[in-house]
Amino acid sequence: MARKKIALIGAGMIGGTLAHLAAKKEMGDIVLFDIAEGIPQGKALDLSQCGPIEGFDARITGTNDYKDIAGADVVIVTAGVPRKPGMSRDDLLGINLKVMKAVGDGIKANAPDAFVICITNPLDAMVWALREFSGLPHEKVVGMAGVLDSARFATFLAWEFGVSVRDVNAFVLGGHGDTMVPVTSYTTISGIPVNDLAKIRGIAPEKLDEIVKRTRGGGGEIVALLKTGSAYYAPATSAIAMAEAYLGDQKRILPCAAYVDGKYGLDGLYVGVPAVIGAGGIEDIVEIELSDEEKSNLKVSTDAVVELLDACKAMDESLK
Ligand code: A3D
């Protein structure tokens, strides 16, 4: 069987980490694309030289030419500008919208059959714009946010409860921003609802509220510490899990920014929902029952996404 081809658009902090992870896992041959000359080529060379030590044969190349992504099975997009301290994800909107136009055109012309995972912020708006510009089917374009946000939630819960992260199944819905909705009612530790285990362990509800708040601000906490950019190890790891689910037809249910048209009362929007990822891309969206409070939190979150989409449409005539 021919090797799979993974194209990474953006060879910055997340792009380089994605390339390393994909190579270590022998997911296929990797093409790193960036507009900055020398960066993708240099990173590709450096990463290739990990091969003899780590024992991978994946071929890693760097390029500034979209033609080199031709025939890619998976495309992961991180091209754009990351947040700096004091900058909201939304401040990035104007800059990264133009980048999505260039990337969408490049994918449309060279890799129209790929499964495309967008990571560029502001996520829910950028994945929507990337889909519009690329013209790919909605089920083949998805945004990475929920896997990361749920992993952050799970990490903080595991620390608080003093349990293995492997036993925490945490759940976050909604847009990728400060209004995201960590859903404690669907979060379990070894199958035990987290609220029940909190009672058993004597963990106060206020402590869980603090964890929810920390999860919502999880990206900003790292930006404030790094000062020159945003998180990249866990974002890259999250997107790799989604790519593996697609390439392996795993039918995993992962929270991702998927296109929702009808379910959750939404009308043609990319937003964080539990989605089944398999060989068909996003094969299904699972609509779970929510409490009134969770519903109203989700509404706040999706309203924020709609506001961003309106701003995108105002900035680019072709999106109307
Ligand atoms: P960074 O290290 O700056 O890499 C971005 C790369 O994109 C740079 O190498 C640029 O040269 C390149 N680039 C800029 N314009 C273009 C273009 N038109 N075509 C191709 N490449 C281009 O950033 P990063 O890797 O740390 O982050 C990448 C993106 O991911 C940013 O938008 C972040 O805000 C976002 N991000 C999202 C999450 C989510 O959970 C959704 C988490 C962390 C970061």
Short mmCIF file of all heavy atoms in Angstrom, two decimals, residues 13 80-92 95-96 121 219-231:
data_model
loop_
_atom_site.label_atom_id
_atom_site.label_comp_id
_atom_site.label_asym_id
_atom_site.label_seq_id
_atom_site.Cartn_x
_atom_site.Cartn_y
_atom_site.Cartn_z
N MET A 13 5.50 26.87 15.14
CA MET A 13 5.66 26.05 16.34
C MET A 13 4.77 24.81 16.30
O MET A 13 5.23 23.70 16.61
CB MET A 13 5.34 26.88 17.60
CG MET A 13 6.24 28.09 17.79
SD MET A 13 8.00 27.69 17.70
CE MET A 13 8.21 26.80 19.23
N GLY A 80 -0.72 31.31 9.73
CA GLY A 80 -1.29 32.53 10.27
C GLY A 80 -0.45 33.08 11.38
O GLY A 80 0.73 32.76 11.51
N VAL A 81 -1.08 33.89 12.18
CA VAL A 81 -0.38 34.57 13.27
C VAL A 81 -0.96 34.07 14.58
O VAL A 81 -2.18 33.99 14.72
CB VAL A 81 -0.60 36.10 13.11
CG1 VAL A 81 -0.02 36.88 14.27
CG2 VAL A 81 0.00 36.58 11.80
N PRO A 82 -0.13 33.72 15.56
CA PRO A 82 -0.67 33.30 16.85
C PRO A 82 -0.90 34.50 17.77
O PRO A 82 -0.48 35.61 17.45
CB PRO A 82 0.42 32.39 17.41
CG PRO A 82 1.68 32.93 16.85
CD PRO A 82 1.34 33.60 15.54
N ARG A 83 -1.55 34.24 18.90
CA ARG A 83 -1.82 35.33 19.84
C ARG A 83 -0.57 35.79 20.58
O ARG A 83 0.27 34.99 20.93
CB ARG A 83 -2.81 34.84 20.91
CG ARG A 83 -4.22 34.93 20.45
CD ARG A 83 -5.15 34.89 21.63
NE ARG A 83 -5.20 33.60 22.28
CZ ARG A 83 -5.80 33.39 23.44
NH1 ARG A 83 -6.35 34.39 24.10
NH2 ARG A 83 -5.84 32.19 23.96
N LYS A 84 -0.49 37.09 20.80
CA LYS A 84 0.54 37.66 21.67
C LYS A 84 -0.17 38.08 22.97
O LYS A 84 -1.40 38.25 22.95
CB LYS A 84 1.19 38.87 21.00
CG LYS A 84 1.78 38.58 19.62
CD LYS A 84 3.24 38.18 19.70
CE LYS A 84 3.80 37.47 18.50
NZ LYS A 84 3.32 37.71 17.19
N PRO A 85 0.56 38.29 24.07
CA PRO A 85 -0.13 38.68 25.31
C PRO A 85 -1.01 39.90 25.09
O PRO A 85 -0.62 40.83 24.38
CB PRO A 85 1.04 39.01 26.27
CG PRO A 85 2.19 38.22 25.74
CD PRO A 85 2.02 38.16 24.25
N GLY A 86 -2.20 39.87 25.67
CA GLY A 86 -3.13 41.00 25.55
C GLY A 86 -3.98 40.95 24.30
O GLY A 86 -4.91 41.73 24.13
N MET A 87 -3.66 40.04 23.40
CA MET A 87 -4.40 39.93 22.14
C MET A 87 -5.47 38.85 22.30
O MET A 87 -5.17 37.77 22.81
CB MET A 87 -3.40 39.44 21.09
CG MET A 87 -3.46 40.11 19.76
SD MET A 87 -2.08 39.44 18.81
CE MET A 87 -2.71 39.71 17.19
N SER A 88 -6.71 39.14 21.88
CA SER A 88 -7.72 38.09 21.94
C SER A 88 -7.63 37.29 20.65
O SER A 88 -7.02 37.73 19.67
CB SER A 88 -9.11 38.70 22.06
OG SER A 88 -9.53 39.19 20.81
N ARG A 89 -8.28 36.10 20.65
CA ARG A 89 -8.28 35.30 19.43
C ARG A 89 -8.94 36.10 18.29
O ARG A 89 -8.56 35.99 17.14
CB ARG A 89 -9.03 33.99 19.66
CG ARG A 89 -8.29 33.04 20.59
CD ARG A 89 -9.04 31.73 20.73
NE ARG A 89 -8.34 30.79 21.60
CZ ARG A 89 -8.57 30.67 22.91
NH1 ARG A 89 -9.46 31.42 23.51
NH2 ARG A 89 -7.90 29.78 23.62
N ASP A 90 -9.92 36.93 18.68
CA ASP A 90 -10.67 37.67 17.66
C ASP A 90 -9.84 38.77 17.00
O ASP A 90 -10.09 39.13 15.85
CB ASP A 90 -11.94 38.25 18.27
CG ASP A 90 -12.77 37.18 18.96
OD1 ASP A 90 -12.41 35.98 18.81
OD2 ASP A 90 -13.75 37.52 19.63
N ASP A 91 -8.84 39.29 17.75
CA ASP A 91 -7.97 40.30 17.15
C ASP A 91 -7.27 39.75 15.91
O ASP A 91 -6.84 40.49 15.03
CB ASP A 91 -6.88 40.76 18.15
CG ASP A 91 -7.47 41.53 19.32
OD1 ASP A 91 -8.56 42.10 19.14
OD2 ASP A 91 -6.83 41.55 20.39
N LEU A 92 -7.13 38.44 15.91
CA LEU A 92 -6.41 37.80 14.81
C LEU A 92 -7.25 37.70 13.53
O LEU A 92 -6.73 37.37 12.48
CB LEU A 92 -6.04 36.36 15.19
CG LEU A 92 -5.11 36.15 16.37
CD1 LEU A 92 -4.95 34.66 16.62
CD2 LEU A 92 -3.76 36.77 16.08
N ILE A 95 -6.26 39.40 9.99
CA ILE A 95 -5.00 38.90 9.44
C ILE A 95 -5.19 37.47 8.93
O ILE A 95 -4.85 37.13 7.80
CB ILE A 95 -3.89 38.89 10.53
CG1 ILE A 95 -3.76 40.25 11.20
CG2 ILE A 95 -2.56 38.42 9.97
CD1 ILE A 95 -2.86 40.27 12.43
N ASN A 96 -5.76 36.63 9.79
CA ASN A 96 -5.82 35.21 9.44
C ASN A 96 -6.89 34.88 8.40
O ASN A 96 -6.80 33.85 7.73
CB ASN A 96 -5.98 34.38 10.71
CG ASN A 96 -4.68 34.33 11.50
OD1 ASN A 96 -3.64 34.74 10.99
ND2 ASN A 96 -4.73 33.86 12.74
N ASN A 121 -6.46 30.27 14.59
CA ASN A 121 -7.46 31.05 15.34
C ASN A 121 -7.87 32.33 14.62
O ASN A 121 -7.09 32.82 13.81
CB ASN A 121 -6.88 31.43 16.72
CG ASN A 121 -7.14 30.38 17.76
OD1 ASN A 121 -8.20 29.78 17.80
ND2 ASN A 121 -6.15 30.15 18.63
N GLY A 219 -5.83 28.47 27.29
CA GLY A 219 -4.92 28.94 26.24
C GLY A 219 -4.25 30.23 26.68
O GLY A 219 -3.02 30.38 26.55
N GLY A 220 -5.04 31.14 27.24
CA GLY A 220 -4.52 32.44 27.67
C GLY A 220 -3.48 32.30 28.78
O GLY A 220 -2.50 33.05 28.83
N GLU A 221 -3.66 31.31 29.66
CA GLU A 221 -2.70 31.09 30.76
C GLU A 221 -1.32 30.78 30.18
O GLU A 221 -0.30 31.27 30.67
CB GLU A 221 -3.21 29.91 31.62
CG GLU A 221 -2.39 29.69 32.87
CD GLU A 221 -2.93 28.57 33.78
OE1 GLU A 221 -4.02 28.03 33.52
OE2 GLU A 221 -2.21 28.23 34.75
N ILE A 222 -1.32 29.99 29.09
CA ILE A 222 -0.03 29.62 28.48
C ILE A 222 0.56 30.81 27.69
O ILE A 222 1.76 31.08 27.78
CB ILE A 222 -0.20 28.36 27.59
CG1 ILE A 222 -0.54 27.17 28.51
CG2 ILE A 222 1.06 28.07 26.78
CD1 ILE A 222 -0.89 25.88 27.81
N VAL A 223 -0.31 31.55 27.00
CA VAL A 223 0.17 32.75 26.27
C VAL A 223 0.85 33.71 27.24
O VAL A 223 1.93 34.24 26.97
CB VAL A 223 -1.02 33.45 25.54
CG1 VAL A 223 -0.59 34.81 24.99
CG2 VAL A 223 -1.55 32.59 24.40
N ALA A 224 0.22 33.91 28.42
CA ALA A 224 0.78 34.86 29.40
C ALA A 224 2.15 34.39 29.90
O ALA A 224 3.03 35.20 30.18
CB ALA A 224 -0.19 35.02 30.57
N LEU A 225 2.33 33.08 29.99
CA LEU A 225 3.63 32.56 30.46
C LEU A 225 4.69 32.60 29.36
O LEU A 225 5.84 32.98 29.59
CB LEU A 225 3.45 31.11 30.95
CG LEU A 225 2.68 30.97 32.27
CD1 LEU A 225 2.26 29.52 32.48
CD2 LEU A 225 3.54 31.44 33.45
N LEU A 226 4.30 32.21 28.13
CA LEU A 226 5.28 32.13 27.04
C LEU A 226 5.69 33.51 26.54
O LEU A 226 6.81 33.69 26.08
CB LEU A 226 4.72 31.32 25.86
CG LEU A 226 4.45 29.83 26.10
CD1 LEU A 226 3.92 29.18 24.82
CD2 LEU A 226 5.70 29.09 26.55
N LYS A 227 4.76 34.43 26.59
CA LYS A 227 4.96 35.84 26.17
C LYS A 227 5.19 36.03 24.67
O LYS A 227 4.89 37.09 24.14
CB LYS A 227 6.10 36.50 26.96
CG LYS A 227 5.78 36.58 28.44
CD LYS A 227 6.81 37.38 29.21
CE LYS A 227 6.43 37.44 30.68
NZ LYS A 227 6.52 36.13 31.34
N THR A 228 5.73 35.08 23.96
CA THR A 228 6.02 35.31 22.53
C THR A 228 5.15 34.47 21.60
O THR A 228 5.37 34.46 20.40
CB THR A 228 7.49 34.99 22.22
OG1 THR A 228 7.75 33.66 22.68
CG2 THR A 228 8.43 35.97 22.88
N GLY A 229 4.20 33.74 22.12
CA GLY A 229 3.37 32.90 21.24
C GLY A 229 2.38 32.12 22.08
O GLY A 229 2.18 32.41 23.26
N SER A 230 1.77 31.12 21.46
CA SER A 230 0.75 30.35 22.19
C SER A 230 1.16 28.87 22.26
O SER A 230 2.21 28.48 21.74
CB SER A 230 -0.62 30.54 21.54
OG SER A 230 -0.59 30.26 20.17
N ALA A 231 0.30 28.09 22.90
CA ALA A 231 0.60 26.66 23.13
C ALA A 231 0.83 25.93 21.82
O ALA A 231 0.24 26.29 20.79
CB ALA A 231 -0.58 26.02 23.85
#
